[in-house]
Amino acid sequence: MKFLHLSDLHIGKSVNGFSMIAEQENAFRQILGYITTESPTAVIIAGDIYDRAIPSVEAVRLFDDFLTELAHEEIAVLLISGNHDSPERLGYASRLLLDKQLHLCGSFAGSPRKVILTDEHGEVNFWLLPFIKPTSMRVLSGEQEIESYDDAIAAALGAANVDYTARNVLVSHQFYTKAGISPIRSESELNPIGGLDAVDAGIIERFDYAALGHLHGRQSAGEEHIHYCGSPIKYSFSEWKQKKSITLVALGEKGNLSTKTLPLTPLHDMREIKGEIDKLMRDEVACLADKEDYLRVVLTDEEEIIDPIGKLRSVYPNMMSLGFENSRTKSRANTDMDAIMIASEAVEKLSIYELFGEFFLETQGSTMSEGQSEIVRELLERSGEE
């Protein structure tokens, strides 16, 4: 069985004030072309369909067009909600659409939704697990203790009673990681402080393939079959060196798996250029690549420049971001580093209790009450004894 794995469409997203609708429409045309040439049985979309919980009319129309084209191809579509989506809106009319092989799993009901597709080797179980938080799983699981994202995912999969002797594919939108491996993160992702949303990838390693969404760079979470396909479009300059694609998965008999990367070409690429403004605006330099690419320009001029954005956009109309790199910026950077060093030395002089007090003030906007202070002191004493 062959299926396409895509995720993080973020339909309706703007980058630095530039709408990505045309780029998204271009990517969808290429995906539909791959459906014609590769003839997959299904298309998996692993969350973050829209960029906002309440998408624009333009975004809804574009996705409606894309789903309609997929339905005309008479292939199964298996779709889950991500952390950017509204589960209820995404799941609207999902039961009516089953006749068109559109399996839209927006809301989570306590266990992954099971969809069975068949090929010459028999059944393949697809488990649709939308983005979930420990708080929502705690409500659904009753008396079971759910303290972390690990607990939430383990409880959800435990409720599914997965038969791992059969062929199983998980579709999930969470931040799966493996100890000792640093994932490639992007500025366009939502990054909770301290990686509190991280889930141990070992929890899902028994699946034949895990079609993941959430990270925008194509990569695996430790094992090759636990895979992020990445976003189809570059959504921040932290991604400008990435080559965007979707993944074609071929699942044979149990234990037989192969993948293929299918590249996606943007209408306008995202890239960075650096140099003095007069040189960058010369025709021989500007013509080295597409002038209409989405650009981050870093100017190295030492002198002040009047209206650099206006001048640059007369040559590069889709310039998104402007930065400077010269002796003045280096001086400011050194000053900032000195301030950081002074702050670090001050922190080293604080006790653990005082550090927690500073952390509480910064995150809560108020100092601890007497009762809260007493609890912290008691916990610190207990941890010291142990």
Side-chain angles (χ1 to χ4, degrees):
M1 178 182 296
K2 292 197 298 185
F3 56 87
L4 291 179
H5 171 199
L6 47 149
S7 74
D8 295 272
L9 309 181
H10 289 278
I11 305 174
K13 185 175 181 63
S14 293
V15 180
N16 294 89
F18 287 76
S19 171
M20 294 289 105
I21 284 288
E23 293 290 344
Q24 291 161 343
E25 186 176 10
N26 171 64
F28 292 162
R29 283 197 296 268
Q30 293 176 68
I31 292 168
L32 291 169
Y34 282 130
I35 289 173
T36 300
T37 57
E38 302 292 344
S39 301
T41 301
V43 172
I44 289 175
I45 310 178
D48 278 359
I49 312 304
Y50 296 112
D51 190 56
R52 300 196 303 266
I54 304 178
S56 66
V57 172
E58 190 178 27
V60 173
R61 285 175 178 167
L62 178 57
F63 189 52
D64 179 60
D65 290 342
F66 184 49
L67 278 184
T68 300
E69 291 293 335
L70 291 176
H72 288 162
E73 296 292 337
E74 298 185 349
I75 61 175
V77 177
L78 295 84
L79 174 155
I80 62 170
S81 60
N83 54 304
H84 278 255
D85 298 310
S86 166
E88 294 77 18
R89 287 185 174 87
L90 201 59
Y92 177 75
S94 57
R95 285 175 291 180
L96 291 175
L97 294 173
L98 287 177
D99 289 342
K100 295 292 185 180
Q101 296 190 82
L102 299 179
H103 303 271
L104 312 184
C105 185
S107 299
F108 178 68
S111 177
R113 184 185 301 176
K114 182 180 180 180
V115 177
I116 300 175
L117 301 179
T118 59
D119 63 7
E120 65 272 23
H121 303 294
E123 295 182 345
V124 178
N125 303 315
F126 289 83
W127 300 91
L128 310 186
L129 179 59
F131 175 75
I132 59 173
K133 295 181 178 180
T135 50
S136 58
M137 193 63 206
R138 197 177 298 136
V139 173
L140 293 167
S141 62
E143 298 180 356
Q144 190 173 357
E145 290 189 9
I146 307 293
E147 300 296 336
S148 65
Y149 279 84
D150 275 358
D151 294 341
I153 298 301
L157 295 178
N161 294 318
V162 180
D163 176 11
Y164 289 104
T165 64
R167 293 182 296 167
N168 295 283
V169 175
L170 175 68
V171 184
S172 181
H173 189 98
Q174 305 284 159
F175 177 34
Y176 292 97
T177 63
K178 186 171 183 177
I181 298 177
S182 298
I184 302 169
R185 302 305 303 265
S186 166
E187 293 173 359
S188 58
E189 302 159 7
L190 291 178
N191 299 330
I193 296 174
L196 296 177
D197 61 339
V199 179
D200 179 9
I203 296 174
I204 60 173
E205 66 182 2
R206 295 177 66 189
F207 284 90
D208 294 272
Y209 184 78
L212 305 183
H214 187 54
L215 299 189
H216 290 184
R218 179 172 59 86
Q219 60 195 287
S220 295
E223 306 292 337
E224 288 300 317
H225 70 289
I226 304 176
H227 185 68
Y228 295 98
C229 64
S231 61
I233 294 167
K234 299 175 184 180
Y235 287 128
S236 73
F237 281 98
S238 61
E239 304 167 42
W240 75 275
K241 293 184 179 180
Q242 296 178 7
K243 300 295 184 181
K244 294 301 183 177
S245 62
I246 58 175
T247 301
L248 177 68
V249 182
L251 186 63
E253 296 177 288
K254 182 73 175 179
N256 185 356
L257 175 76
S258 63
T259 61
K260 179 181 178 182
T261 300
L262 304 177
L264 297 174
T265 304
L267 288 174
H268 305 299
D269 202 1
M270 184 177 286
R271 56 190 176 91
E272 181 180 288
I273 59 175
K274 182 188 296 186
E276 296 177 351
I277 190 169
D278 289 341
K279 292 180 180 178
L280 295 180
M281 294 180 64
R282 292 175 185 170
D283 284 341
E284 60 266 28
V285 174
C287 292
L288 292 175
D290 187 352
K291 295 179 183 180
E292 296 190 5
D293 283 347
Y294 302 112
L295 294 183
R296 169 175 164 76
V297 180
V298 179
L299 296 179
T300 60
D301 301 77
E302 289 293 338
E303 67 276 6
E304 294 288 343
I305 303 170
I306 298 174
D307 189 23
I309 293 178
K311 291 178 179 178
L312 287 165
R313 282 186 174 161
S314 67
V315 177
Y316 306 104
N318 290 331
M319 189 196 78
M320 286 184 167
S321 174
L322 177 64
F324 295 89
E325 192 175 292
N326 51 37
S327 59
R328 295 190 301 278
T329 59
K330 291 177 181 177
S331 176
R332 284 197 295 268
N334 291 334
T335 301
D336 292 342
M337 183 57 66
D338 290 340
I340 291 171
M341 293 298 293
I342 292 170
S344 298
E345 291 173 1
V347 165
E348 290 176 359
K349 297 177 182 178
L350 297 177
S351 67
I352 296 177
Y353 172 78
E354 290 170 328
L355 283 171
F356 185 83
E358 294 289 334
F359 170 76
F360 188 93
L361 176 61
E362 182 176 344
T363 57
Q364 302 299 315
S366 63
T367 57
M368 291 186 288
S369 66
E370 290 185 11
Q372 291 168 331
S373 297
E374 187 61 33
I375 291 172
V376 173
R377 287 194 182 94
E378 183 180 334
L379 289 172
L380 290 174
E381 290 175 3
R382 189 184 306 170
S383 65
E385 292 171 0
E386 296 174 355

